[in-house]
Amino acid sequence: MATPAVNNNNTEIEKVKSPSGFKIIVREFIKDKVALISLILFLGIVLYVYIYSMGLDTKEVTRVDIFNQFQEPGPVHWLGTDYGGRDVYNQLILGARNSLTIGIAITLITSIIGIALGLLAGYYGGWVDNVVMRTVDFVLVLPALMIIIVYVSIVPEFDVRKFIFIMSLFYWTSKCRLIRSKALAEREHEYVAASKTLGTPDWKIMLFQVLPNLSSIIIVNMTLNLAGNIGIETSLTYLGFGLPESVPSLGTLISYSRNPEVMENKPWVWLPAAILILVLMLCINFIGNALKRAADARQRLG
Amino acid sequence: MANQPLLQIKNLTTSFRIQDEYYPAVDNVSLNVNENEVLAIVGESGCGKSALALSIMRLHNELNTKLEGEVNFKGQNLLSLSTAEMNKYRGKEMGMIFQDPLTALNPLMRIGQQIEEAMRNHLDLSDAEMKARSLELLKKVGIPNPERTYMQFPHELSGGMRQRVVIAIAISCEPKFLIADEPTTALDVTIQAQILDLMLELQEQMKTGIILITHDLGVVAEMADRVAVMYAGQIVEIADVYTLFRNPLHPYTRSLFNSIPSAAEGSDRLHVIQGIVPSLKNLPRTGCRFSNRIPWIKESAHESNPTLHEVEKDHWVRCTCYQDFHFPGDAEAEKI
């Protein structure tokens, strides 16, 4: 918060103006060097992965070339090849793209469902709240992991889109609960009633008055969730219940290390993917924490 | 005075649901508000004055509130309207000023946007016209630098300034009827006086009918034309302000006046009304609701089903107990 000074002229008035939300975030990142580096690194990786992968063909990359099995990293294959003679570097790029796409898509879809339902439940309360919350409870008691595993084994030609679908089906509940609880508190504020007395319809109040007041929580929650969702994809694939080998992801690359021979003697196959996941997770978490502090005045550094 | 009242409340009962049963917080209230008239509603916390105000605007959560009776505004029963039809009245025909200006403003919206909200809903104006009008409104409510305030956020303003903004929002479409729900409670005393002056001034200019909800009898004396005293969801006394202050009749009204600290008299102890307002669930449904707080008055003085009696012209009092009422200390004096 800027310290109020005596205003002699207009330029000083401008200075006293408290910073907008975006400026607070910028300041937080400038103060927190780790978060700033994380942000640059993360954006760099994302941009590089998406741009580079545009020139790659999944079929080409995943074509088995048995004569090139387990090549060590060299000038032709930067990071060597796996047991099918496939280039690890290209798989890494495609895998990172797929994993990021899955993570981002699941985060967005679950957020949209969670925000919409949570906002409705929290704003209206009563039976609306009851219906939504009992639905959430129902979804929560389902053994999600088991259903996902069954779905993966049953559905032929499992791909990125189907994976996003089945994951989104189960992971919107916690967001819905979070938003609902915040909306419950927010709707009691008088500005909601005040807005009603001005003849503003409910949907407008929900979208343009209540939702912006929840935005900080939503942004923080989405960021931290992104890391979690990438993690879920990777671990499921590692266990063999995620994407097939024809669709490379960070998880498929790491899952090659289930073979002890690869694990011990051919680290170039799985190590890059593992490091990339580590770096991405740390980056996202540092960024998320910086955003979290920016949203809470008491924790701010800047 | 107009022949038809601006707002006419007939037998309004507002019931809240508590564990699947409805309890009336506002019980059978009938009121009239004329144009260019300030009606004050006084009463202690929890007596149903805010519930009444919110019922008029239909701001209660409809899922657990039941409204019965009629609220006729310019001849139209508001309770029979759909929400969309109601929204045409809210803001345009009737406005509301809230108690706490800090929470009544959205912390994330600039002042200008918030003032324009009602205009956007009801008036067909261009952005430039709305801005011009907003600035004019800000000037009207006494904000020194409208251009600057227009772009500011609520937290950058002081309490008094915020309440001015809230008033500006309420009058932005020049409604004929305003509800002011304890508009000065959250402000300090000097600002209170300024805000009340401002409201009176605007009321005179725009000839608005106002329901002023307060528990401050000083505010009532300054602002009101007529006063309704509420206790436990019912109106116990209603009269014009001079009559009520000169000749309060109902025991509750008299107790209220007796509870005002006075510097003039050398009375060493302040009068305290015994007991507390019964909670909504335990409210006696029959008999005089005030009887258990004046236990020294004998049962027979109360009516079994108290109604409003017109003791003089336009001065109504509920129950007959006012005739035999005296304060405990005065008992001997009265007997002699």
Side-chain angles (χ1 to χ4, degrees), chain A residues 7 13 17-18 124-127 187 189-191 193-201 204 208-209 212-213, chain B residues 57 59 61 63 87 90-91 94 96 98-100 103-109 117-118 121-122 148 155-156 169:
Chain A
N7 307 322
I13 290 173
K17 254 178 113 180
S18 66
Y124 284 112
W127 66 266
R187 70 142 188 221
H189 285 168
E190 264 180 351
Y191 70 82
S195 202
K196 277 190 196 168
T197 65
L198 299 177
T200 311
K204 261 191 187 169
F208 301 118
Q209 309 244 7
N213 275 296
Chain B
M57 289 301 263
L59 286 180
N61 189 337
L63 297 172
N87 277 340
R90 290 174 179 158
M94 45 210 292
M96 186 152 175
F98 285 88
Q99 175 177 352
D100 187 352
T103 58
L105 296 171
N106 188 331
L108 292 183
M109 280 167 78
E117 190 181 331
N121 287 331
H122 300 294
R148 180 173 168 222
H155 68 266
E156 298 173 81
I169 292 173

Side-chain angles (χ1 to χ4, degrees), chain A residues 68-84:
Chain A
N68 275 328
Q69 225 184 1
F70 291 129
Q71 296 270 328
E72 284 192 25
V76 186
H77 301 291
W78 288 13
L79 292 174
T81 57
D82 65 3
Y83 78 95

Side-chain angles (χ1 to χ4, degrees), chain B residues 38-198:
Chain B
V38 179
L39 172 76
I41 300 180
V42 281
E44 60 200 309
S45 308
C47 73
K49 31 188 216 306
S50 286
L52 172 66
L54 295 179
S55 304
I56 298 170
M57 289 301 263
R58 286 205 16 214
L59 286 180
H60 289 301
N61 189 337
E62 292 181 9
L63 297 172
N64 46 32
T65 327
K66 204 165 61 179
L67 295 173
E68 288 157 300
E70 282 178 35
V71 178
N72 291 319
F73 180 77
K74 289 182 170 171
Q76 168 70 51
N77 185 2
L78 296 178
L79 299 189
S80 66
L81 294 175
S82 72
T83 313
E85 286 171 321
M86 187 65 203
N87 277 340
K88 288 184 190 147
Y89 280 89
R90 290 174 179 158
K92 181 148 180 20
E93 304 278 348
M94 45 210 292
M96 186 152 175
I97 297 167
F98 285 88
Q99 175 177 352
D100 187 352
L102 180 60
T103 58
L105 296 171
N106 188 331
L108 292 183
M109 280 167 78
R110 291 182 195 279
I111 299 298
Q113 279 174 285
Q114 306 201 36
I115 296 180
E116 284 167 11
E117 190 181 331
M119 296 187 226
R120 219 177 282 278
N121 287 331
H122 300 294
L123 306 177
D124 198 16
L125 294 176
S126 72
D127 283 1
E129 284 171 315
M130 281 199 286
K131 183 169 183 188
R133 186 156 170 173
S134 304
L135 293 176
E136 199 182 304
L137 279 164
L138 285 172
K139 207 188 253 169
K140 209 172 181 178
V141 295
I143 295 225
N145 193 344
E147 293 277 353
R148 180 173 168 222
T149 309
Y150 183 86
M151 290 307 287
Q152 277 176 317
F153 286 100
H155 68 266
E156 298 173 81
L157 303 178
S158 68
M161 293 266 272
R162 277 187 215 131
Q163 192 62 297
R164 285 168 195 273
V165 170
V166 169
I167 293 173
I169 292 173
I171 63 168
S172 60
C173 291
E174 302 190 344
K176 279 276 142 235
F177 173 67
L178 272 178
I179 298 175
D181 188 356
E182 308 199 20
T184 55
T185 313
L187 306 172
D188 63 62
V189 186
T190 44
I191 308 293
Q192 277 187 18
Q194 291 175 16
I195 294 291
L196 291 177
D197 285 345
L198 172 70

